[in-house]
Amino acid sequence: MLLLTRKNRIKELCKSSGMTMEELANQLFVSSSTVSQWANGKRPPFDSTKWKEIADIFNVRIDYVMGLDRIDPEHYYEEEEK
């Protein structure tokens, strides 16, 4: 799997979970335009707790959401067991 950027990870996580960015925005108590800006790489979440909230919603590591971890979340636990 290619290392994706933050903007692609948020979009990809929404797409793979069947969640719209508007639904994500509602869960994070931010506007849908804010999530769109994050997803398009125009600005990162300034509140560091938002990274954790996004990771928790999608059940992935914060590093993955931030684009710092190359491990696909579907294979994360398989990799750790090796």
Side-chain angles (χ1 to χ4, degrees), residues 18-48:
M19 180 184 293
T20 66
M21 286 195 279
E22 185 174 349
E23 290 169 332
L24 177 60
N26 290 337
Q27 288 192 33
L28 295 170
F29 300 104
V30 297
S31 70
S32 56
S33 66
T34 296
V35 170
S36 178
Q37 289 177 349
W38 296 343
N40 291 312
K42 293 185 179 177
R43 70 175 198 172
F46 293 112
D47 179 356
S48 61

